Amino acid sequence: FETDDFMRNVATFGPGGGALVRRSGGVIMYDFMEHQGMQRNLDLDTVTEHALERGEGQIVKENGCLLVDTGKFSGRCPKDRYVVDAGQAHYNVGWGSINIPIKEETFDKVYECCQQRLWNLEKVYVFDGFVGASKKSRRAVRIVTEMAWHHHFVTNMFI
């Protein structure tokens, strides 16, 4: 996975020439490859060590798996799914109480706020990989997480 492939259509925008990039659509994006606490594509053993050191989980003695307690937020939130109502999505998404439409401007504000929060953390975990096994149809993804166990999860879920 090449960072250049992922960051297509971006131009440097920011002090020092790397902390911020501007996507062609005008949304400010942070280049997490420049984050001083960035941990990228860690193997499962290493990211498990990080999770344990940070108190995010424990090892199950019987099978050696990482066990985390997500508290009261233990499942998906089907009523918290928002989809930008633009382009083909407008015609192809089944809108209703599950797929809730939002404007692009609203998404951009939330996205920038989330990125800023992650940028201000001491350490972030970056996973660059793919969704889908077929080279013809797979999609590149970059997932930036605050917690090591989230990185563990995506490392296990994606290619």
Side-chain angles (χ1 to χ4, degrees), residues 57-77:
Q58 58 190 350
I59 298 296
V60 176
K61 291 178 186 176
E62 294 80 15
N63 59 20
C65 292
L66 178 65
L67 172 68
V68 296
D69 181 358
T70 61
K72 66 181 183 177
F73 303 105
S74 61
R76 293 180 284 160
C77 301

Side-chain angles (χ1 to χ4, degrees), residues 9 22-29 104 108:
N9 300 322
R22 185 178 292 276
R23 194 170 51 176
S24 60
V27 176
I28 294 176
M29 297 175 60
E104 281 187 85
D108 292 346

Side-chain angles (χ1 to χ4, degrees), residues 48-107:
T48 298
E49 288 176 24
H50 281 237
L52 295 173
E53 289 169 4
R54 295 164 55 109
E56 296 175 9
Q58 58 190 350
I59 298 296
V60 176
K61 291 178 186 176
E62 294 80 15
N63 59 20
C65 292
L66 178 65
L67 172 68
V68 296
D69 181 358
T70 61
K72 66 181 183 177
F73 303 105
S74 61
R76 293 180 284 160
C77 301
K79 294 194 178 195
D80 290 337
R81 182 177 6 191
Y82 299 91
V83 180
V84 175
D85 185 2
Q88 290 298 312
H90 180 76
Y91 304 102
N92 294 317
V93 172
W95 302 109
S97 62
I98 302 297
N99 296 316
I100 304 165
I102 61 170
K103 296 178 181 178
E104 281 187 85
E105 299 79 27
T106 303
F107 172 83

Side-chain angles (χ1 to χ4, degrees), residues 1 8 24 62 97 111 125 127 144:
F1 185 83
R8 269 178 285 200
S24 60
E62 294 80 15
S97 62
Y111 187 64
Y125 295 88
F127 174 83
V144 181

